[in-house]
Amino acid sequence: MRVYLEKVTKKFGKTMAVGNISLEIKDKSFLALLGPSGCGKTTTLRLIAGLETPDTGNIYIGDTLVNDVPPKDRNIAMVFQSYALYPHMISYDNISLPLKIRKVPKEEIRERVHSVAELLRIEELLDKKPTQLSGGQKQRVALARALVRKPSVFLMDEPLSNLDAQLRVYMRTELKKMHRKLKITTIFVTHDQAEAMALAERIAIINQGTLQQVGSPEEIYENPENAFVGGFIGSPPMNMWEGKIAEKNRELMIETGFFDYTFPRSWKESVEKMDYNDVIFSVRPEDITTVKQKEPNSIKAVVDVIEQMGRELVVTLLIGNAQVKMVAPSNRSLHIGDKINIKFKEDKIHIFKKV
């Protein structure tokens, strides 16, 4: 079922939680709402669920305007961070509760509970209470309770954040397989960029209630639209320097105060079209290479910190007083204090307008 937000706003007092957001979640797709804590992503989810009412704008589920439709009539299911299981009920009763409330016949309830339990591989947990379950098991019971209703839209609010790192990775795989099999329109709220990149077909990045960019994980990683998106996506984060565009000896360059970077001649036309001079010059750590000797646009740097991360090294370099993160192969021979020359991959440089 398609979900569409049309110029939706929501304020709490003087705080703008959701600011004029327009967003389409296509039928059967998996979209992640990604952003830092307090950015408005959970409020956006609650607006879709009907737990909050928009101040302005419209929310559609399918072709139906649902602004005034109560949550129980929207045919959505929601999984919360806290699982929200009833502690005095066994798993079977927790899962079947939404069907009992709707007075579904007992035999159909039994069939649907066992069907979803088989899908999530929790059949042996149906007679256990939440206190007898691990965090991952509780999460799967909560998922089963949501799925048993056969919703048109599946909403998840940071459902994996209470799990340990290894279990989170496992559950990501399970959620992806589940979505591939069921093809239910899914909206997944998270502050974890790795989670969003691994799970979602499309990501909507929100900051301070404002939609920053929507696209596939690859699009957002390779072509961030602004400095916030560029800095939020990627680990280690993107290197960024404030600078000014200047012209010297008929060549356009960026002056950062730590180094100057001359634009390739092929960039000249596009740079001249920019209507701003104050910029943020950015490059990802994995897009920095070393060269044996001084070359045009190479920069002298000193190795300051080396972090062994298994198959790669995360190296902190100093250019004057500026820190630079570089990713290098783990077999690269580098030592603290080494003086090296680095270069940025020209086709991987990003120039953002300074706001």
Side-chain angles (χ1 to χ4, degrees), residues 223-240:
N223 300 297
E225 291 183 2
N226 56 47
F228 175 81
V229 175
F232 195 77
I233 295 290
S235 180
M238 185 178 274
N239 296 293
M240 294 186 176

Side-chain angles (χ1 to χ4, degrees), residues 240-246 253-260 276-282 351-354:
M240 294 186 176
W241 301 272
E242 293 184 3
K244 288 184 178 291
I245 295 177
M253 63 174 53
I254 288 182
E255 299 172 336
T256 69
F258 303 103
F259 59 87
D260 295 343
Y276 49 88
N277 288 321
D278 291 330
V279 299
I280 297 175
F281 180 90
S282 309
I351 310 297
F352 303 117
K353 183 176 183 178
K354 183 181 173 184

